[in-house]
Amino acid sequence: MPTRSSIPATPRIISPSPTPSERDALDSYTGPMTRAARRRLATPLPVSEEGNEEDDVPGRRRARTRSRSPVETRPTAGRRTSKKRTTKTADANMTSTDSTTAAPNGDMAMSEKQEKEVSNGHLLPPQPAGYTGWGWKDISRSPSPLGLIPIHRHWRAFIHKHEVPRKALHVSIGFFVVWLYLSGTQTLSVCPYLMGALIPIAAVDVLRHHNASFNRFYVKVLGALMRESEFTGYNGVIFYLLGAWIVLGFFPKDVGVVGTLLLSWCDTAASTFGRLYGRYTPRIRTGKSLAGSLAAFLVGVGTSAFFWGWLVPTKGPMPGDELFMFTGTLRLPQLLSEAVGLSPAQATISGGLALGVMSIWSGFVAAASEVANVCGLDDNLTIPVLSGLGIWGFLKIFG
């Protein structure tokens, strides 16, 4: 009886993968290539996060989610690509790839120019090209870029870097305060004039932030006295007037005068010496160096010694000097002197020693208020207010 023999299975033949040498042989010769051009071709292009990820682009599909880089593939047979591209980012990426690949070998200028034209800003946030409006955070100081105010471009060292006109105005107000004291003017009588100047200046500043053409005219006229960061922020004169109004109106006469002098002279010294020698000293915080703080401290010591040690004794007394908090003597509080066993005479100092202690404390307060960052407020406001509080509190305890 014949038997049916089983048909042997067809053997499965697996084609071996090409070796690296075989793959190299298949590559076409591309000629010599510079390192910059090779690095540019090897760098993956940014992929826009906008648009629908399911959009199909002919000749290209998105790789796995982890890599986020496009991969060239052949179009799958029978696969429909009827969906339209709805975002401009995909077109920009296609154009960027084609322009980079088609650039001549070693032509760096052409390819870089094309990359800049089609860049979608994936790696670099878009930069504002001029006035973009004002925000509440602009009341704080910020780096002063070059190019917003025309006169800063023509006088880079005199106005932009060293701020000579601005510092001259800053210092001159201190001498004006000394003249007011010598003329017998009371601090409370100055406050209405300060407020009368503050209101229109602040109103004009608000107006220019809502009118771009008026803002350009404003900075063209007063640009020499401004920082370029004030192009989109409030003018420092507003905070200067507000700080002087507070310290002269709410503190005793000598404290108010010294607080205004510290604002005028210590802030200028800190800015000048900080810009000159700040790079050689440790940084205390952003924009504040040890060199600037030491300058503010020394000028503060000299300012206090000048006012209480020379101006008042030689040119005074003036009307209102009887209300001074510092009268040339300092004493420990009674509770503290009794706790350490000191008599009232031993707990009291006067003359040059008291003046020296008062001057050192005033210099320390001036330097500390210049460094302090109170909610990002301008130091033209914080220096007189904090200095007045520090001196008033010290004399309230030891005066």
Side-chain angles (χ1 to χ4, degrees), residues 313-357:
T314 58
K315 304 298 181 181
M318 296 294 175
D321 289 5
E322 64 276 2
L323 301 178
F324 275 14
M325 290 193 71
F326 179 68
T327 57
T329 60
L330 297 174
R331 62 179 59 88
L332 290 177
Q334 184 177 358
L335 294 177
L336 183 58
S337 60
E338 292 177 355
V340 297
L342 296 177
S343 63
Q346 293 174 337
T348 303
I349 59 175
S350 60
L353 182 59
L355 177 62
V357 173

Side-chain angles (χ1 to χ4, degrees), residues 102-237:
N105 188 19
D107 192 356
M108 298 174 59
M110 178 66 71
S111 58
E112 288 179 0
K113 182 178 180 181
Q114 292 174 350
E115 287 178 3
K116 290 181 180 179
E117 291 177 353
V118 301
S119 176
N120 60 356
H122 183 72
L123 297 178
L124 181 64
Q127 302 296 327
Y131 176 73
T132 58
W134 177 85
W136 70 270
K137 292 184 179 180
D138 292 321
I139 62 178
S140 61
R141 282 192 171 185
S142 58
S144 183
L146 179 63
L148 296 178
I149 301 179
I151 195 172
H152 283 231
R153 296 194 298 267
H154 296 86
W155 300 86
R156 295 192 179 188
F158 186 76
I159 293 179
H160 184 79
K161 182 178 180 180
H162 300 294
E163 299 180 339
V164 176
R166 183 187 181 95
K167 287 183 172 61
L169 177 63
H170 219 281
V171 173
S172 65
I173 295 178
F175 291 102
F176 181 68
V177 171
V178 172
W179 177 81
L180 289 177
Y181 171 78
L182 295 176
S183 64
T185 305
Q186 300 302 310
T187 55
L188 292 179
S189 63
V190 178
C191 293
Y193 294 97
L194 294 176
M195 186 56 63
L198 173 62
I199 292 176
I201 292 177
V204 170
D205 220 49
V206 172
L207 177 62
R208 73 181 179 92
H209 288 307
H210 291 80
N211 191 316
S213 59
F214 179 68
N215 188 26
R216 289 191 294 269
F217 172 77
Y218 183 92
V219 300
K220 185 177 181 180
V221 175
L222 300 176
L225 302 176
M226 297 172 59
R227 285 194 174 102
E228 290 206 323
S229 58
E230 296 172 355
F231 184 87
T232 57
Y234 276 140
N235 198 319
V237 176

